[in-house]
Amino acid sequence: MIMDSTLDKAKKGKPVTILSLPKGELKVQLIRLGITEGETVKCLERLPGGTIILQKNRQEIAVGYDLAKNIKVILQ
Amino acid sequence: MKSDSILNLNDKQLKKLEFSETQKLVTDKKVVLAGNPNVGKSLFFNHLSGMYVDVSNFPGTTISISKASYKGNTIYDTPGVYGVSSFNDEERVARDIILSADRILNVVNALHLERDLFLTLQLIEMGKPVTVLLNFSDEVKKRKIKIDVERLSELLGVDVIETSAVKKDGFDKLDYAIENARKGTQELELHFLLQQVMEKGASQAASLLILEGDNEIAELNELPCGTPDEREKIYINRRNKVNEIVDEIEHEDSRKGEFFNLLGKYSLNPLTGIPILGFVLVLVYFFIGEFVSQQVVDFTENKIGVEIFEYNVKSLMADYTATDIVVEVIDNNDNVIDSETFIFPDGMNELPQLKTQFEEFSTQPGTAIDFTFHNPIAQLLFGEFGVITMTVTYLIFLLLPLVIGFYLVMAFLEDSGYLPRLATMLDRAFNKVGLNGKAVIPIMLGFGCVTMANVTTRILGSNREKSIVTAILQFVIPCSAQLAVIAVLLSGAGIKPLLIFAVVIFSVLIALSTILNRMLPGESSPLLIDLPSMKIPNISNVLKKTYFRSIGFMKEAGVWFFVGALGIGILQITGLLVVWQDLLAPLTTDWLMLPKEAANAFVMGMVRRDFGAAGLFELSLTTMQITVAIITITLFVPCIASFVVMLKERGWKEGLSIWFGTWIVAFTIGGLVAQLIII
Ligand SMILES: Nc1nc2c(ncn2[C@@H]2O[C@H](COP(=O)(O)OP(=O)(O)OP(=O)(O)O)[C@@H](O)[C@H]2O)c(=O)[nH]1
Ligand SMILES: [Mg+2]
């Protein structure tokens, strides 16, 4: 099943496709780290409370709940 | 077209450089080590400079510039950044040094090319002469990743040199790297835009930042600044180009063979992470609390410090000056079974017979010898708070072994990659007090040295977070020197006082940060941190770091202990100490329920908290009184060094509020606890 959602709802071990990032500085930081709109990454872990750990190739990136809930994604 | 001519010139330069290979190294150049956080820049810097700046396995270790001369050039270590811009202080610091660089050694983590080449391309687009140091080549080999280095060099238009900073591979090519740094391949479209800004008088590097919407640089050049949309376009283009490059040059035999560190995984999730954290703490407790503070310190303090060092120094003094000596013989249960007083009105040498008696009496096992000198100067230097005796015994034989113990533990943690994971696990909890998990990093470093940690608050995303963490550091976090004293005071007292201490301090932490979170305006930033893989700490790095930090501790604490002991000694001789004790007596005796001499600890504590706590050794306190005393002294004012750094980082207003705040909180909380637990 494919549905629109936000990153904080991502499921552990599942791929997520980034639809849109919040504007501003954080977007810039995310682009630098390799997370851009249209990119598909893996949700490596979802901690209780909604902190998300993304994995892109060999890199792991922790995204806090407040940021994750502002990132629109497609969950698969 | 103009951009073409630049490319041509580039080729010429290139040829010229190839010829000069055999010549000696360029001179008077500003060579800057730049790269993403945690890629090994500081290891290169340490190698080139022969100095030691901190190397740790978490992003944000280096926060200020270090420089050193290297073969006639100046070499700079910089804070790691993911791109050049002005979002925060670290970036500004790195930006300015990169803008003024003559040559850039761009350190790149070969395992994370997608992330790291973003900065590389930006540096090249800035028109800076660059050489890429493709670091972590040891890991690349181990994981059987294939990187086409030649092709990468062709695409970038600069030299790419494979290195492994931990194995010292490729270090012999660093001169070549500096010599041959050159302007890389310019992207025509972007370069055309850059030319338009450059015609108005800005350098290529500044022009790029202006196009990317860097207000500060635009203002400096008095040029209009690019919009966020323009920046985004440039960024997306760059990102796409990086992805293309990586696709072309990198092949992993089995994509599935992602390295995934089990411990790293388990330490993230609270279910397993909290037990792991608990396990780490218990280990630290046994190492410091049981092993170092009991076995090691018992030996260094009592055997070396008191029995050998102090005894010899004091009896040498006593040879020549009027001295009363009380010798007590103490059995295994701390009972005095025999005692004798020897009085030498003109020094021991004048009464050789009595001296022999004294020496024979004091060689029995279990003696405690107390020297009182009649001469005030001798008393000041060698007496109870003797400037020389106390400074040396406390500092070298008591505190130093413990401080080294703590530094070892910290260095171990810092190099393991655990801290960013701890930050992630605790993120949600920190959100409740207006922080994000990243705050764990300065707070944990505070257990090593609060002064250093004050500077590390720069890695936090917003001003309010910096204020909250700075306050936490000054109010509640005991540094290793102070933990050392606490460990000594509580050694053998069991777990209960330690628990009371921890619970009280933790509650103050929660209350303090909650209040500040409510009071301070603005919003906190969310967590965004990349997680380095966990690894077994590099022993040589751990030892080096511990060594240099210990030397640093000795230098600083040494001076302050000496000055402080001199001050206290003078106060004691002039009788001012008693005046102060009487002045504070209502507070110390009625409210804190401590003997009035405990007031000494608060004068001494204004110099350094560990020194203040050292003032407690002299008193015979009950366990609960010790608990109250260490709570009060922990909450008490930060040491002078930390105070100065805090003023520099956070300004006068905030610094002074915190300093006075600690007085109020320390005595209020200390007193409340005293009223509760001392009956
Ligand atoms: N395996 C391996 N580890 C390395 C290599 N280079 C650096 N490291 C490790 O990477 C970590 C970071 O090294 P630093 O020198 O502190 O990195 P930095 O770039 O100065 O980091 P910041 O100051 O945070 O920007 C340390 O744990 C090093 O041991 C390498 O070539 N191979
Ligand atoms: Mg560094």
Side-chain angles (χ1 to χ4, degrees), chain A residues 4 6 9 24 29 48 52 58 69-70 72:
Chain A
D4 283 17
T6 49
K9 311 242 164 48
Q29 300 288 15
I52 301 289
R58 285 177 289 271
K69 71 172 190 243
N70 286 320
K72 294 213 176 62

Side-chain angles (χ1 to χ4, degrees), chain A residues 12 21-37 39 42 44-71, chain B residues 82-85 87-88 91 110-115 118 122 143 145 229 231-232 235-236 239 243 250 252 255 258-261 265 268-270 421 424-425 427-428 431 526-532:
Chain A
K12 178 178 172 172
L21 301 170
K23 286 256 172 255
E25 183 194 327
L26 284 164
K27 178 164 188 175
V28 170
Q29 300 288 15
L30 284 161
I31 296 175
R32 288 174 176 176
L33 290 170
I35 311 280
T36 48
E37 289 159 357
E39 189 85 38
K42 183 172 154 194
L44 191 65
E45 187 81 56
R46 181 187 185 281
L47 304 185
T51 309
I52 301 289
I53 291 105
L54 293 177
Q55 183 182 34
K56 196 193 167 201
N57 299 334
R58 285 177 289 271
Q59 191 175 347
E60 293 164 25
I61 300 166
V63 180
Y65 171 74
D66 286 327
L67 177 54
K69 71 172 190 243
N70 286 320
I71 298 179
Chain B
Y82 298 106
V84 186
S85 57
F87 291 132
N88 55 45
E91 287 195 0
L111 298 173
H112 299 304
L113 285 178
E114 275 156 323
R115 185 193 70 190
F118 190 89
Q122 194 182 20
R143 300 183 197 188
I145 300 163
D229 283 344
R231 171 176 67 207
E232 205 178 306
Y235 268 51
I236 301 270
R239 168 53 51 214
N243 292 353
E250 184 189 301
E252 200 169 344
R255 268 268 137 151
E258 307 151 333
F259 176 77
F260 192 64
N261 196 309
K265 184 186 158 109
L268 274 172
N269 197 310
R421 276 151 223 278
T424 307
M425 182 178 79
D427 184 49
R428 281 308 271 161
N431 285 170
L527 178 76
L528 178 61
I529 188 172
D530 76 306
L531 304 173

